[in-house]
Amino acid sequence: MLIQTETTPNPATLKFLPGHAVMDHGTRDFATPEEAEASPLAEAIFSTGEVEGVFFGRDFISVTAAPGVEWRLLKPQVLEVLLDHFVSDAPLFRAGTAAGIDVAPEPDVEDDPADAEIVTQIRELIDTRVRPAVARDGGDIVYRGFREGTVYLALHGACSGCPSSTMTLKNGIESLLKHYVPEVETVEAV
């Protein structure tokens, strides 16, 4: 089995591509070893002691190294964990855990019912234009609400903590949403 790696815009995060589906649907973000207990794979990656984040996408796993950790030392450890997992055909999640859920299913900001059409347009643009592009960089951006002209988004995987995430939000996503949905005035990360 060959697992390819790709760099991401976030220098602390590498994207690992096992060559087949990781998640059947949704995504899953693990920011702590305690959260990773739901997944034997995420738990094993955290057990290296040099990781501060694991993210499962449709066909990739993004791993964020802890501050001061060099990828030239961590990468072989992560590859070994991934190979062991995929060769053994082990389950991705433990039984009884919330496996294939989106990282943020409920909005942080309650949408005004009067904005239902606007919210539908925003969600469609995020799902069809933004999320696929961000997934190519090893992350995910999830809709969290719309209120008074502001769209609230959550950043996950390689996007979380990425030095260029502010530029992506403002120059990329905000511009796109403003172009197609005139009611959008600004985009904020939550």
Side-chain angles (χ1 to χ4, degrees), residues 50 68 85 117 176 189:
E50 299 179 322
H85 175 82
E117 188 176 317
L176 173 83

Side-chain angles (χ1 to χ4, degrees), residues 29 140-142 153-157 159-161 165-166 169 188-190:
D29 195 22
D140 197 11
I141 293 183
V142 180
L153 302 173
L155 289 72
H156 298 282
C159 295
S160 180
S165 63
T166 301
L169 276 175
E188 300 291 331
V190 292

Side-chain angles (χ1 to χ4, degrees), residues 30 35-47 51 54 56 92:
F30 304 95
E35 290 176 8
E37 291 174 359
S39 168
L41 177 57
E43 189 174 45
I45 294 170
F46 267 102
S47 74
V51 170
V54 176
F56 296 159
L92 191 59

Side-chain angles (χ1 to χ4, degrees), residues 71-126:
W71 269 112
R72 67 178 180 81
L73 301 173
L74 179 58
K75 183 177 171 180
Q77 294 177 63
V78 173
L79 283 169
E80 182 179 349
V81 168
L82 292 173
L83 283 169
D84 288 348
H85 175 82
F86 287 111
V87 168
S88 70
D89 205 24
L92 191 59
F93 294 97
R94 288 192 168 80
T97 63
I101 60 169
D102 281 331
V103 290
E106 296 298 322
D108 286 335
V109 176
E110 191 172 328
D111 295 327
D112 184 337
D115 293 332
E117 188 176 317
I118 296 167
V119 168
T120 298
Q121 291 173 354
I122 292 168
R123 284 180 175 265
E124 183 178 330
L125 285 166
I126 290 168

Side-chain angles (χ1 to χ4, degrees), residues 1-189:
M1 170 176 212
L2 173 67
I3 297 177
Q4 296 180 340
T5 60
E6 292 180 359
T7 58
T8 70
N10 183 345
T13 303
L14 263 184
K15 182 177 173 183
F16 294 83
L17 300 130
H20 56 80
V22 174
M23 296 279 292
D24 292 329
H25 61 277
T27 59
R28 189 70 187 265
D29 195 22
F30 304 95
T32 66
E34 293 76 26
E35 290 176 8
E37 291 174 359
S39 168
L41 177 57
E43 189 174 45
I45 294 170
F46 267 102
S47 74
T48 66
E50 299 179 322
V51 170
E52 70 174 15
V54 176
F55 178 80
F56 296 159
R58 185 180 56 78
D59 61 353
F60 66 91
I61 297 119
S62 290
V63 178
T64 302
V69 173
E70 295 183 35
W71 269 112
R72 67 178 180 81
L73 301 173
L74 179 58
K75 183 177 171 180
Q77 294 177 63
V78 173
L79 283 169
E80 182 179 349
V81 168
L82 292 173
L83 283 169
D84 288 348
H85 175 82
F86 287 111
V87 168
S88 70
D89 205 24
L92 191 59
F93 294 97
R94 288 192 168 80
T97 63
I101 60 169
D102 281 331
V103 290
E106 296 298 322
D108 286 335
V109 176
E110 191 172 328
D111 295 327
D112 184 337
D115 293 332
E117 188 176 317
I118 296 167
V119 168
T120 298
Q121 291 173 354
I122 292 168
R123 284 180 175 265
E124 183 178 330
L125 285 166
I126 290 168
D127 288 342
T128 60
R129 302 255 183 122
V130 176
R131 290 181 83 187
V134 171
R136 285 191 293 273
D137 286 337
D140 197 11
I141 293 183
V142 180
Y143 174 83
R144 302 299 282 154
F146 175 74
R147 175 149 324 262
E148 299 174 2
T150 301
V151 177
Y152 298 93
L153 302 173
L155 289 72
H156 298 282
C159 295
S160 180
C162 177
S164 61
S165 63
T166 301
M167 186 174 64
T168 299
L169 276 175
K170 294 297 181 184
N171 295 344
I173 299 167
E174 185 175 281
S175 296
L176 173 83
L177 292 177
K178 283 177 162 182
H179 177 77
Y180 288 103
V181 186
E183 295 83 357
V184 172
E185 297 171 14
T186 188
V187 174
E188 300 291 331

